[in-house]
Every structure is written in structure tokens, then in C-alpha cells.
């Protein structure tokens, strides 16, 4: 081989020496023809040398341009393909002699390598070459590589069974790809049949697949088959059980669909299910040996077997064939979880959480599969044009039984009670992974809409552990049911669309009905699911798990539409003997009023009469308290009823006090959550008045557990807001601000008990009631700190303290300031998906705006302005009340200068980067809207725009995508993001932007200009930014044209707002001299518009100035000059503007006239006919004397314009002379 390559190099060098002036591709083509001739004559070795010589030439002289490079790659591909054919022929020749086995394998290897090289070159060619030529050559290469692979698998005596199988699989893939674009290729079809025959024989004496061997080994060990001769011959007998299972997992990761089918075909489901139930312990082992077998290894095998089944069940075809209710019964999975949960409650053995979590994930897959099949049942039939549905559509294996309710409930209840033993309060829930997996299971099973089910299935489709990553890695996200795409809707008749919407509505109703049935079944007293969740919440030490459980219960009851139905469902769990109690007592006249309540009352001493009670009784109260808190979150009216009437037959407030005084951290945490939730509901807020007046909340506020403190602080804040007790006391606000900052650092440092700051834990604050429930309901101590800070940041003095780097007195020297801490939290990984994200967005937003601006924005689109509203309010106030309000307004005054300074400090503190990080992970529309709104507020300050772009704000706005048909909320978010782009680019030098930023900004800006719901200010800023970009380079002008920007800008010239008209005119002015813009101006109707704009200088001087400037810039073009002088109002234009007395307009029209004269011909004659020459002479005679000019008291700018006009007038006179 070395001799051949040396000879090829010699041929190549000599050829180039004699034909150095020739095209290298022509030289290569000539050498290729020589190789082809040698091949036809049977001289294979000479053919190889010819192809090799040609390949030596091409890399040394690459083609130029895209066409040249494409031709070069095609030539290389052809040469590699031809040489591969030669190597294949050589291998066939040497195959007849056993003495040349090594040479034969080398030739096959060379053939495969040349085929790889040829395909690599073809991939680089892409669509630049003819698709037919490309496919023709690709087909030849694929066939030759497949044939070489098949021959290698048959003749290489040194290859293992795995190597042979790998070669056959690779050959099959090549042939299938070939047949996908050349189905009539008989040779490829025949070779594929041969490959399949050989692959089938691999299951016999010639060898078996990895999956087959692994399953046989596992089956032999489960059945005590000691005569596993095949495994012994293959050397696989030494593989342990876990390794066999890892082989199956690895196979699923490589090609999960086909290998999953093989596992099912070879009886893998019953085998794996048997392993999952009892592990693998050889029957021949003695009891002592079985005891010595490590329990963790057994559990790992059981877990792996369930993961393999779960990965297989991610494919609907697998479930339909091999995992029906008889083959993979959910009851067996329920039994597995129950046994492990029971073991976890025993001191003798700890149950495996991994096994149970894996079983629940598998159960979720079965639930998701059933839902998708049910959706297929509804949407498989096509709708005819008349709106009727075809009845003859048959969906294969559509009648898949739903996962039975009993199994789901058994699994969930066992998981919620994991590690719990009895009803004693001292018993705690162990590992929280099992309850969390049960929450995912319950979410999928009780999903009331398709989005909720998709969210639940996404969680289960992610690998649950490192051991399952390989098995689950290729399953991906489960596809949701068949919704109509926008393009499909457009292609349908109105009756078809109506029929589909009706069918979709019916499906949603059925889904809701099924969800209600599942909820009632699970929460019923007979099943005990609700009680299990409440027990888990009461016994767990994981406060985040407790909140997740509370939210889940709230979600379940929120699905039930009628409040009375909810009361019936939960009354016994609340200890309520009559769910109708309180129906006639909606307005509690005896409730203590909060109108005069102040926060100082929290300092009053409370009754120290603590009731220790019985631990079991305390557990009951904790469960009732948790249920009440969940009801307040999910069904607020029922929650208020429960707190006042339903809880222990109107003893709820008393039992709440007992929880607070219990000195049990879990009970106090539940009480803290309850008072926080109750303070958010208007009907339940007055019931907390007694707790405030008696100082009962003090126990919660000074508790060493931050989780307990945070809920009480949130409650105090909301009560303070409701009573407006904080509005006059800055000291109280600052005390609560200190609490919020302490909670922000709780995750890192903790707060020491007895730190001398308990007096500050009694304050509340003020905030907008639009805060989402999720921010205040599922939160850590840090979340609550953000929540409390969100309340008080509306105060101007608090804003100033935050940006000034405020730290509470006594803070450690190395502790970050409040602003640094919230920026750090915002920049943390996955911060955008956290519950606190909305609160952070609200804080950043409020820091960048004044309350006066917010009030003005609230009246946008209203029939009354803020000023008119204030006047109406003043009519009903006394002079004393007006004075008090004036003093308050003066105290809270937030000047524009102060806001700008705050924005500069925020930018320097990396707040823009924090907002970008929050947006990266946020899926909440409300959070995204707040963040983009905050970015827009900061971008209003010119000095920080560059910093914001550097920190990623512009790129984030450009990357926002809400699909083809965004809903109203998504449209608002897009509008905010585009407005932010406009603000950022109004004054930014385009040269500091990347090419993608410049080009990518134009599309969103034009969409904002076309947005009828955008404000005039948004339109104006977008047009200014487009003006800035369009004037930068031809690249940006081309982008504007490509985005059909000229018609959009032309339309904006007729806006009702004068400033918008001006900005649109100036933007088009900057498009000159782009050819498309010039063609637009040359059209008679368009030119008339621009002339009319120029003449309308008295009504809109700025637009007229831009219009005349546009004409002056365009007139050097001869065709445009001809079109302009042909305009009927050309003479009027020149005379009117020359005599208007506006120096800026006169300067521009002088420039137009001078250019027209230089064109000569009819353009010169048209100018002469207007009398411009005479005017210029008179103008020069009138103003050539500087003493006369001084009489007009011109400003320096006007004097400069006058000098310019005089200079042009002289030039015109000279040109006309």
C-alpha cells in the first residue's frame, strides 16, 4: 500500500509540473478518467493509483467561491467512492484464498474508510449541488459500505459476536437510508434481506445479541438453570446480575425503540417484573449465602429492572404489544411500593425509596400512555368539509384499559406514609423522595387539563437517578394530543373548524369529569388519601415538602367547582359535624375590626396558658390546620368558612392558638402557613384580629426556625396593609425591612436565637394585591423575605436605602447589602423557575419607577386622567385633609432625577444581568411581563443602555419567542420586550452591536410599529431606533427591506400623532440610497405624498423638513430627478419653499435645485421655469451685506444656515449663467 501511495504522489507531482497552468479540477478529472479506464480493463491496482493521484491534487488547490468549493467536494466524493469500489473488488479477489485473510480484511477496512470520507464530503456539499446527482452518488457509497460491512461480519474470524452484530446493524442502517430515496434499488433490497437473515441466525449457534444474552443469563439465574452453555462459551457467565441489567439499559440508550421491542419480544417484561418484585437470589445458594448477599445489590437490581421497564414503556408500541394489564398489572407495582413502605416503618429493615420511586415513575408512564390513547380515540377520525366525522377510521389497539384507581390510591397512600409508624406526633416521615414522587403521580392521575398532565409527565420522563439516565435518556418529552396547528386551521372550512372545536370541548369536559371522579375517590374517607397527605404534612420535618403537599391539596379542591361539594368532601377531616354550618353567617358582624388596629398591639403580653395536651390530639389539630391552610390557597371562600365554622365545629381559631403555643416546630410551622394564607383572604383576615390584639403571633415571630418566622412576618405585613397601619410609621417599615433582609440570608447563615432583634419581628408593610398566590404560598424563608420586601419597596425612602447599599444594624462586616443579595439570588441557577421570581421581578420593577409614574400609567386608556381624578377626589375633602395629604405627598416625593440616579446604581449593581437570568428560566407570563417592563423602565435612562446591552438585555429580548399565534398575555409580553429593544437602541451606536443584534432588532421593531395596541410612545421609540439602524450601513438597510419595512414605515407617516409621523419620515429618509427605496420614491403616487409633506411645513414643520431632506438626498439619481420635475406640483414646491422664510427648508430646496441643474436637459429647464435664478440673484443682493443680517438678530445656528443658503444661491446663479 505504501508503494502505491508513493507512486501516486510521483504521478501527481509530475502531472502538476507539466500542467501547472491547467485547472486542478480538470487535472483531477483527467486522472479519474485514467482510473476508470484501468478499472474497466480489470487493472484494479492502476485504477487505485489513478484515483489516489487525483486526490493528491485537489487538497493542494481548493476551489474559490461557493460553486468552486461545491465542485471540489463532489469531485473528492466521486474519487473516494471509486477507490472504495476498487478496495471492495480487491477484497473479493483475496477472499478466495485463505492465505490472504489479513490482506482481505485490510482492503475491506480501506473500503469502509473511503466510503466514510466520501459521505463526509457529500454532507459538506449539502444543497449546493444537484440533489439527483448527490443522491445517486450517495446511494453508491452507502451500498458499497454496507457490502463491506456484511463481508467483514462473515469473514473476520477475530471479531466477536458483538462486533458481528454491530457490523450487520450498521449495514442495515445504510441500506435503509439508501432505500428511503431509491426504493427501486433491487441490489440494496436483496442485500438488506440477506442482512436480516444473518441477523436472525445470530440468535442461534452463530451468536446472540447483547439483549438476548443478558436476558438468558438473568432468566437462568432466576430459574437456577446451571446448564447455560451458550453463556459459558461466550464468556458472559462471569457477568454479575447488575451488569446484565446495565447492558439492557445501555442498549435502550443507544436505540431505545428497536431494542425495547426486542426486550418485549424475548419475554423481558415478565422476567424484569419478577426481578422487580423479589430481586435475583439463586435457588442453589444456601440460606447463609443468601443472607451474605449485599442487600443494596439486590435493591439496585430491582430498581434497574423497573427503570428498564419504564424506559421501554415510553414507547406506545411497546405498551400495546407487551405491557397490557395482564402482562404489567398496576396492582403488582402497588404491592411493591406497599411492601417497601411497610419495611420502612419496621425497625428490622429499611425500605428502598429508589425502588418505590421507580415504580411510581413507571405507573405515571402508564397513565400518560392511557391519556394519549384516549386523546387519539377522540381525534383520529377526520372531519369532512360539511362538518361531519368519518366513522370508518380504526385506531389500532385503541381500547387500552385505564390504570385502575385502586392501584394508584394504594401507591400514593403508601408513599405519603413512608416511614410513618402509628398516629404518634413524635413519629416523623422519613425520606421525602417517596412523598414527592407520589405528588407527581397524583398530579398525572388527577390532571384536569392537558397542560397539567403534560407537566406531570415531563417530570417523570426525566431520569430519576444516575442509574436510570442511560435507560431514560432517549425517551424525551411525551408528545401531547393532536391539536390543530394554525396552518391546518387556515386550510379547513368553517364547519370543519367548528366541528373540531366542539370535539375538543367534549374531550376537555370528559377529562374534567374523570379528574373529578379521581379526586373524590382519592380524598374520600373510605380511601383515606386526603388523610394520608395531611398526616405526611403534619409529620414531615421538610418544610418545603409540607408546602408542596399543601399546594397539591389546594389544587385538588380547586378543580371542584361548587364550594358546597368541597365542604362535603372535607368536613369530616376538619372535624365538622355539619357542613351546612355558617351558610347564613356570611357577614360576621361580631368580628373585630381592623380599621383601627396598629402593629404595636403585637407587643402586648399574651396569655401564657399553654395547653400541652395529648400528642395524638395535637396531630389531629395539625392535620386540620394544614387542611384549612390548603383550602385557603385552593378555594379561598371554603378556607375562610373552615377557619371560622368548619374546623372543629367553630373552634378553629382556638385550636390555631394551641398550635402556636404547642412549642412543636412542625405544629408552629403549620400555624405560620395558615395565618399567612388567611391574611391573604379578605373574608378570613378579620378572624386573625384576636391573634394580633393578644400578641399571639409573637411566638411565631421570635421562633428560632426561620420557616416559622417567615410565615408570621408575611401575615403581619398583610394585616398591616389591610389596616393601613404602616402608612404613617417609617420606623415600623424599617423594622420589617430588617426582618426581610435577615430572611434573605437565612439559607446561608441561619439566624441565631436570642440575637436581640425580636422587637423587629413584629412589623408589617404595604404592597399591591396583584401579587400571585404562588409567590406567597410555596416559599422558603428566602422566598418570604422577597415577599415582605416586595410589600415595602413601594416606599420611596426604602428604595433609596436599597440602592444605597443598606445593611441592618449589627450585620456581619462581610455580609452583602440588601441589593447585592437580591441580585445574587436573581443570578442563581434556575432562579427564573423559582417561586420568588415574580417577587424579584416586582422589586426590580418598582426600584426603577416612581409612584407618580405608576399612578399615571394606571389611567392610560381610561376615560378620565389622573389629574381629573385627583380634582374629583379633592372636592370631597376638607382643607385639613388636603393639607395632610399634601404633606404626605411631599414626604413620598420621588423626583425624575432621583429615579434616574437609582437606575444608574441598579445598572452598576448588575440588576440587568439578574433580570436576564430570571428570564432565562421563567415560564410564567406574569413574571416575564414584570421583568420586561422593568427592563424597559431602566432603558429609559440613556446612560445605562450600553451597560444593559453588555449584560445581555438586548439579546434576551431578541430571543423571546411566543409562537405563531400568541394569546393576549403573550402579546403583551412581546410588546414589552420589543419596546425595551426600541428604548435600548434609540441612542446606542450600532457599531457596538454584533451583526446578529443589528439585524435581529429590525424585525421586532417593525412588528412594534405595526402593533395597533402599542402606544404612540412605543411607536415613536421604535421608529427612532429604526432610523438609527437604517442609517448605519447597507447591511441594515437590506434587512429593513427584507422585512418589508418600507411599506410599514410609509403607513406610519399617516399616524395621528405628529411625532410618530416625523419619526417615520426620518426613518425612510435614512433608507436612501437603497435601490428599493429609490424605486419606491420614483412611483408617481408616492412622490406626490412626499411633495405634499414638504409643502405642509406650516402644520408640521419637522415632517416637512425631513421630506425635503429626503428629496435632496434622492435627487442625485437621474431617474428620480426626472420623476421629480415631472411631478405636477414641482414648480409650486420650489417656489413655496424658497419663499417660506424657513432657513432649514430653503437650504434643502437649494440643494435640490442645484442637483437638478447639474443633471442638465429637462431638469435644468424645469428649474429655470420656476424662476429660481431670479430669486437667487435677489436673495444674494438682499443678504450679501452682513450689516443687514445683524438687524435680524439671528442666533448662531441661524447665521450658519443663512451662510449655507447664500453659498448655494451663489452656486445656482453660477450654474445657470
Amino acid at each position: 500500500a505504501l508503494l502505491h501511495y508513493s507512486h501516486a504522489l510521483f504521478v501527481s507531482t509530475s502531472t502538476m509540473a507539466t500542467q501547472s497552468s491547467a485547472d486542478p479540477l480538470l487535472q483531477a478529472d483527467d486522472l479519474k478518467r485514467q482510473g476508470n479506464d484501468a478499472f474497466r480493463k480489470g487493472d484494479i491496482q492502476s485504477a487505485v493509483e489513478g484515483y489516489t493521484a487525483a486526490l493528491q491534487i485537489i487538497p493542494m488547490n481548493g476551489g474559490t467561491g461557493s460553486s468552486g468549493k461545491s465542485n471540489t467536494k463532489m469531485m473528492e466524493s466521486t474519487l473516494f467512492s471509486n477507490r472504495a469500489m476498487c478496495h471492495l473488488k480487491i477484497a473479493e479477489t483475496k477472499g478466495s484464498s485463505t492465505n490472504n485473510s489479513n490482506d482481505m480484511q485490510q482492503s475491506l477496512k480501506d473500503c469502509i474508510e473511503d466510503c466514510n470520507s466520501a459521505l463526509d464530503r457529500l454532507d459538506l456539499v449539502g444543497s449546493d449541488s444537484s440533489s439527483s446527482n448527490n443522491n445517486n452518488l450517495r446511494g453508491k457509497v452507502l451500498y458499497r459500505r454496507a457490502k463491506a460491512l456484511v463481508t467483514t461480519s462473515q469473514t473476520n474470524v477475530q471479531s466477536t459476536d458483538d462486533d458481528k452484530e454491530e457490523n450487520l446493524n450498521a449495514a442495515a442502517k445504510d441500506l435503509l437510508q439508501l432505500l428511503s430515496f431509491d426504493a427501486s434499488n433491487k441490489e440494496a433490497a436483496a442485500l438488506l434481506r440477506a442482512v436480516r437473515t444473518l441477523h436472525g441466525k445470530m440468535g442461534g449457534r452463530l451468536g446472540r445479541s447483547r439483549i438476548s444474552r443478558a436476558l438468558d443469563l438473568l432468566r437462568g439465574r432466576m430459574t437456577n438453570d446451571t446448564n447455560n452453555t451458550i453463556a459459558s462459551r461466550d464468556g458472559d457467565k462471569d457477568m454479575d446480575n447488575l451488569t446484565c441489567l446495565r447492558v439492557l439499559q445501555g442498549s435502550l440508550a443507544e436505540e431505545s425503540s428497536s431494542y425495547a421491542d426486542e426486550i418485549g419480544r424475548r419475554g423481558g417484561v415478565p422476567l424484569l417484573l419478577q426481578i422487580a418484585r423479589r430481586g435475583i437470589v439463586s435457588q442453589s445458594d444456601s440460606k447463609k449465602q443468601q443472607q451474605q448477599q449485599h442487600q443494596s445489590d439486590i435493591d439496585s437490581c430491582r430498581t434497574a429492572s423497573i427503570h428498564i421497564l419504564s424506559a421501554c414503556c415510553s414507547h406506545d408500541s411497546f405498551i400495546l404489544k407487551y405491557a397490557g394489564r395482564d402482562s404489567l398489572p398496576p396492582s403488582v407495582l402497588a404491592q411493591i411500593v406497599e411492601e417497601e413502605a411497610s419495611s420502612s416503618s419496621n425497625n428490622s429493615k429499611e425500605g428502598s425509596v429508589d425502588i418505590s420511586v421507580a415504580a411510581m415513575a413507571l405507573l405515571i408512564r402508564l397513565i400518560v400512555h392511557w391519556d394519549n390513547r384516549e386523546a387519539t380515540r377522540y381525534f383520529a377520525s377526520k372531519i369532512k368539509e360539511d362538518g361531519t366525522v368519518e366513522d370508518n377510521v380504526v385506531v389500532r389497539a385503541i381500547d387500552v384499559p385505564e390504570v385502575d384507581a385502586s392501584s394508584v390510591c394504594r401507591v400514593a397512600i403508601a408513599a405519603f406514609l413512608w416511614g410513618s409508624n402509628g398516629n404518634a406526633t413524635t413519629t416523623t416521615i422519613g425520606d421525602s423522595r417517596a412523598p414527592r414522587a407520589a405528588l407527581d403521580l397524583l398530579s398525572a392521575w388527577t390532571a384536569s387539563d392537558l397542560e397539567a398532565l403534560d407537566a406531570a409527565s415531563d417530570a417523570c420522563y426525566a431520569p430519576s437517578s444516575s442509574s436510570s439516565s442511560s435507560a431514560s435518556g432517549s425517551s424525551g418529552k411525551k408528545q401531547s394530543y393532536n391539536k390543530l396547528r394554525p396552518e391546518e386551521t387556515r386550510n379547513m372550512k368553517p364547519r370543519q373548524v367548528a366541528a373540531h372545536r366542539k370535539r375538543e370541548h367534549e374531550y376537555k369536559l370528559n377529562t374534567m369529569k374523570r379528574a373529578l371522579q379521581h379526586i373524590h375517590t382519592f380524598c374520600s374517607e373510605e380511601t383515606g388519601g386526603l388523610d394520608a397527605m395531611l398526616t405526611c404534612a403534619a409529620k414531615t420535618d421538610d418544610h418545603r415538602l409540607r408546602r408542596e403537599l399543601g399546594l397539591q391539596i389546594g389544587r385538588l379542591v380547586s378543580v371542584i367547582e361548587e364550594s358546597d361539594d368541597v365542604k362535603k368532601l372535607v368536613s369530616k377531616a376538619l372535624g365538622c359535624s355539619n357542613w351546612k354550618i355558617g351558610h347564613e353567617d356570611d357577614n360576621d358582624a361580631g368580628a373585630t375590626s381592623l380599621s383601627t388596629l396598629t402593629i404595636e398591639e403585637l407587643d402586648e403580653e399574651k396569655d401564657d396558658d399553654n395547653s400541652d395536651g395529648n400528642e395524638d390530639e395535637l396531630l389531629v389539630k395539625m392535620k386540620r390546620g394544614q387542611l384549612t391552610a390548603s383550602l385557603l390557597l385552593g378555594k379561598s371562600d371554603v378556607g375562610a368558612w373552615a377557619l371560622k365554622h368548619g374546623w372543629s365545629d367553630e373552634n378553629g381559631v382556638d385550636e390555631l392558638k394551641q398550635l402556636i403555643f404547642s412549642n412543636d416546630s412542625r405544629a408552629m410551622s403549620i400555624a405560620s402557613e395558615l395565618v399567612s394564607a388567611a391574611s391573604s383572604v379578605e373574608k378570613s383576615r378579620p378572624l386573625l384580629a384576636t391573634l394580633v390584639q393578644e400578641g399571639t403571633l409573637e411566638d411565631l415571630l421570635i421562633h428560632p426556625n426561620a420557616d416559622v418566622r417567615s410565615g408570621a412576618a408575611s401575615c403581619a405585613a398583610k394585616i398591616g396593609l389591610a389596616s393601613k397601619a404602616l402608612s404613617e410609621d417609617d420606623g415600623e417599615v424599617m423594622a420589617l425591612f430588617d426582618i426581610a433582609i435577615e430572611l434573605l440570608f437565612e439559607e446561608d447563615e441561619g439566624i441565631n436565637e436570642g440575637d436581640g432583634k425580636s422587637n423587629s419581628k413584629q412589623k408589617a408593610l404595604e404592597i399591591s394585591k396583584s401579587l400571585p398566590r404562588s409567590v406567597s404560598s410555596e416559599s422558603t424563608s428566602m422566598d418570604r423575605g422577597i415577599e415582605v420586601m416586595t410589600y415595602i419597596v413601594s416606599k420611596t425612602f426604602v428604595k433609596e436605602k436599597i440602592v444605597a447599599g443598606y445593611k441592618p444594624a449589627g450585620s456581619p462586616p462581610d455580609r452583602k447589602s440588601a441589593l447585592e443579595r437580591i441580585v445574587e439570588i436573581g443570578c442563581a441557577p434556575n432562579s427564573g423557575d423559582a417561586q420568588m421570581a415574580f417577587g424579584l421581578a416586582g422589586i426590580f420593577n418598582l426600584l426603577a419607577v416612581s409612584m407618580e409614574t405608576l399612578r399615571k400609567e394606571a389611567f392610560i386608556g381610561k376615560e378620565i386622567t389622573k389629574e381629573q381624578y385627583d380634582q374629583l377626589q379633592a372636592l370631597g375633602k376638607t382643607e385639613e385633609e388636603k393639607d395632610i395629604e399634601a404633606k404626605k405627598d411631599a414626604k413620598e416625593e420621588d423626583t425624575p432625577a432621583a429615579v434616574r440616579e437609582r437606575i444608574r446604581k441598579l445598572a452598576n449593581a448588575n440588576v440587568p444581568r439578574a433580570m436576564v437570568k430570571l428570564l432565562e428560566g421563567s415560564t410564567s407570563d406574569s413574571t416575564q411581563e414584570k421583568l420586561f417592563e422593568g427592563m424597559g423602565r431602566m432603558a429609559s435612562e440613556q446612560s445605562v443602555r450600553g451597560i444593559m446591552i453588555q449584560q445581555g438585555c438586548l439579546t434576551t429580548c431578541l430571543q423571546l419567542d411566543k409562537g405563531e399565534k400568541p394569546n393576549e398575555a403573550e402579546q403583551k409580553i412581546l410588546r414589552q420586550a420589543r419596546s425595551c429593544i426600541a428604548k435600548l437602541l434609540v441612542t446606542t451606536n450600532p457599531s457596538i452591536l454584533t451583526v446578529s443584534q443589528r439585524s435581529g432588532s429590525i424585525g421586532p421593531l417593525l412588528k412594534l410599529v405595526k402593533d395597533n395596541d402599542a402606544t404612540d410612545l412605543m411607536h415613536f421609540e421604535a421608529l427612532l431606533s429604526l432610523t438609527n439602524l437604517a442609517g448605519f450601513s447597507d447591511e441594515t438597510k437590506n434587512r429593513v427591506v427584507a422585512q418589508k419595512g418600507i411599506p410599514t414605515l410609509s403607513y406610519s407617516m399617516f399616524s395621528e400623532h405628529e411625532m410618530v409621523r416625523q419619526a417615520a419620515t426620518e426613518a425612510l429618509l435614512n433608507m436612501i440610497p437603497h435601490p428599493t427605496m429609490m424605486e419606491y420614491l420614483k412611483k408617481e403616487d408616492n412622490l406626490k405624498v412626499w411633495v405634499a409633506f414638504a409643502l405642509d411645513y406650516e402644520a408640521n414643520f419637522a415632517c416637512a423638513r425631513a421630506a425635503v431632506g429626503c428629496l435632496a438626498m434622492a435627487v442625485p439619481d437621474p431617474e428620480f430627478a426626472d420623476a421629480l420635475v415631472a411631478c405636477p406640483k414641482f414648480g409650486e414646491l420650489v417656489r413655496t419653499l424658497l419663499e417660506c422664510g424657513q432657513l432649514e427648508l430653503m437650504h434643502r430646496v437649494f440643494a435640490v435645485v442645484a442637483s437638478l441643474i447639474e443633471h442638465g436637459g429637462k431638469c435644468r429647464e424645469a428649474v429655470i421655469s420656476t424662476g429660481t435664478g431670479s430669486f437667487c440673484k435677489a436673495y444674494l443682493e438682499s443678504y450679501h451685506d452682513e450689516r443687514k443680517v445683524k438687524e435680524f438678530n439671528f442666533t448662531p445656528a441661524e447665521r450658519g444656515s443663512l451662510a449655507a443658503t447664500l453659498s448655494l444661491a451663489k452656486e445656482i446663479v453660477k450654474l445657470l449663467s
Side-chain angles (χ1 to χ4, degrees), residues 179-281:
L179 293 170
S180 67
F181 58 81
D182 186 9
S184 61
N185 193 316
K186 295 181 179 180
E187 291 181 339
L191 184 58
L192 181 59
R193 288 193 296 272
V195 169
R196 287 173 173 169
T197 301
L198 290 171
H199 199 280
K201 293 179 180 179
M202 294 290 289
R205 296 182 58 86
L206 293 178
R208 298 163 304 126
S209 70
R210 290 174 297 171
I211 290 178
S212 176
R213 294 197 304 273
L215 290 173
D216 284 347
L217 280 170
L218 293 171
R219 188 177 291 108
R221 290 168 185 174
M222 290 293 293
T223 59
N224 195 25
D225 182 4
T226 59
N227 297 318
N228 196 350
T229 56
I230 297 178
S232 177
R233 183 179 66 81
D234 289 340
D236 295 330
K237 200 168 184 179
D238 293 335
M239 285 199 307
D240 59 24
N241 300 327
L242 191 57
T243 302
C244 291
L245 293 169
R246 292 283 184 257
V247 168
L248 298 179
Q249 287 181 294
S251 300
L252 291 171
E254 294 172 10
E255 191 182 348
S256 57
S257 178
S258 62
Y259 283 138
D261 187 73
E262 184 176 357
I263 289 175
R265 190 173 63 252
R266 296 185 182 275
V269 173
L271 174 63
L272 292 170
L273 191 59
Q274 187 179 8
I275 297 173
R277 294 184 65 180
R278 61 185 183 89
I280 307 177
V281 180

Side-chain angles (χ1 to χ4, degrees), residues 562-575:
E562 295 296 331
S563 296
D564 285 350
D565 292 338
V566 179
K567 292 177 183 178
K568 294 176 186 177
L569 185 65
V570 303
S571 57
K572 288 191 177 181
L574 286 170

Side-chain angles (χ1 to χ4, degrees), residues 1054-1072:
F1054 299 94
S1055 169
E1056 296 180 358
H1057 199 283
E1058 177 182 349
M1059 299 293 288
V1060 175
R1061 294 198 299 272
Q1062 174 190 344
T1065 309
E1066 292 175 348
L1068 283 170
L1069 167 63
N1070 274 13
M1071 288 297 296
I1072 295 174

Side-chain angles (χ1 to χ4, degrees), residues 5 236 398 422 560 804 1043 1173:
Y5 278 99
D236 295 330
I398 194 68
I560 304 174
Q1043 295 283 337

Side-chain angles (χ1 to χ4, degrees), residues 430-442:
D431 200 318
S432 61
R433 287 178 293 165
R436 283 196 168 93
L439 288 174
D440 290 336
L441 173 63
L442 203 58

Side-chain angles (χ1 to χ4, degrees), residues 768-804:
S768 167
K769 293 184 179 179
S770 63
L771 189 67
R773 180 63 53 81
S774 60
V775 174
S776 60
S777 58
E778 186 187 10
S779 55
T780 62
S781 301
M782 188 187 299
D783 300 332
R784 283 275 164 71
I786 294 294
E787 179 188 21
V788 173
M789 189 175 291
T790 310
Y791 283 117
I792 60 176
V793 78
S794 59
K795 298 286 184 181
T796 301
F797 74 93
V798 174
K799 296 178 186 178
E800 295 299 328
K801 285 187 175 294
I802 290 176
V803 299

Side-chain angles (χ1 to χ4, degrees), residues 1-5 7 35 38-39 42-52 83 86-87 90 94 107:
L2 180 61
L3 177 64
H4 295 158
Y5 278 99
H7 179 67
F39 184 84
D43 189 357
I44 307 299
Q45 196 60 54
S46 296
V48 171
E49 293 173 358
Y51 299 140
T52 303
R83 197 170 70 177
C86 292
H87 289 311
I90 293 173
K94 293 180 178 179
S107 296

